[in-house]
Amino acid sequence: MGKVGKTLAERKAALVARKAALEAKLNALKSREGAEARKMETRQKVLIGAILLSYVRDKQQAPTRNALIRMIEAAKLHDRDRAALAPLIAELRSLDANAPTPAPLPRGLGDGNASREEV
């Protein structure tokens, strides 16, 4: 008697199972890629923030510091985020205790028309 091969249904079932396993692996890789991209974006934001804060804490950078304060105040933030930034704004303002009130931002910055992610 000869060797009996797998039926078409069995071969199909095996391929469907293999496809499902490969799709699961692909989805896991995509998920890991997304997590790594978010992690890199977060790191970039932290670094840019650190650089910017270091720059605006320089007493000679009043125009940039005041522009940053106006952008923060104009941003759509949750109450808890605004509260978290309040001590920083107070610190930055204290650097310009004798400085006049800054001019408003150019149109499009801080007026709600600028393109930005909703927080």
Side-chain angles (χ1 to χ4, degrees):
M1 216 154 92
K3 183 178 174 185
V4 177
K6 292 183 179 179
T7 66
L8 286 176
E10 290 171 332
R11 290 184 0 213
K12 181 179 178 182
L15 287 173
V16 167
R18 184 171 175 217
K19 178 183 176 186
L22 289 172
E23 286 176 346
K25 285 182 180 182
L26 182 60
N27 287 337
L29 283 174
K30 286 179 181 178
S31 179
R32 193 173 332 148
E33 270 182 337
E36 287 177 8
R38 288 187 301 278
K39 185 177 177 182
M40 178 58 76
E41 183 181 6
T42 298
R43 180 170 172 75
Q44 291 168 341
K45 288 177 181 179
V46 167
L47 291 170
I48 293 295
I51 292 166
L52 181 60
L53 283 175
S54 175
Y55 183 80
V56 299
R57 283 180 170 137
D58 180 340
K59 288 190 182 276
Q60 297 177 346
Q61 300 305 325
T64 305
R65 181 173 39 256
N66 291 327
L68 178 61
I69 291 170
R70 289 190 311 273
M71 283 189 267
I72 293 169
E73 289 174 339
K76 295 178 183 175
L77 298 172
H78 293 287
D79 290 341
R80 69 178 185 271
D81 296 332
R82 193 164 300 285
L85 291 173
L88 174 64
I89 292 172
E91 173 198 339
L92 296 177
R93 281 198 174 120
S94 73
L95 296 172
D96 294 324
N98 299 325
T101 303
L105 285 173
R107 182 166 169 69
L109 291 178
D111 64 0
N113 294 329
S115 173
R116 64 182 283 296
E117 277 185 21
E118 184 66 25
V119 178

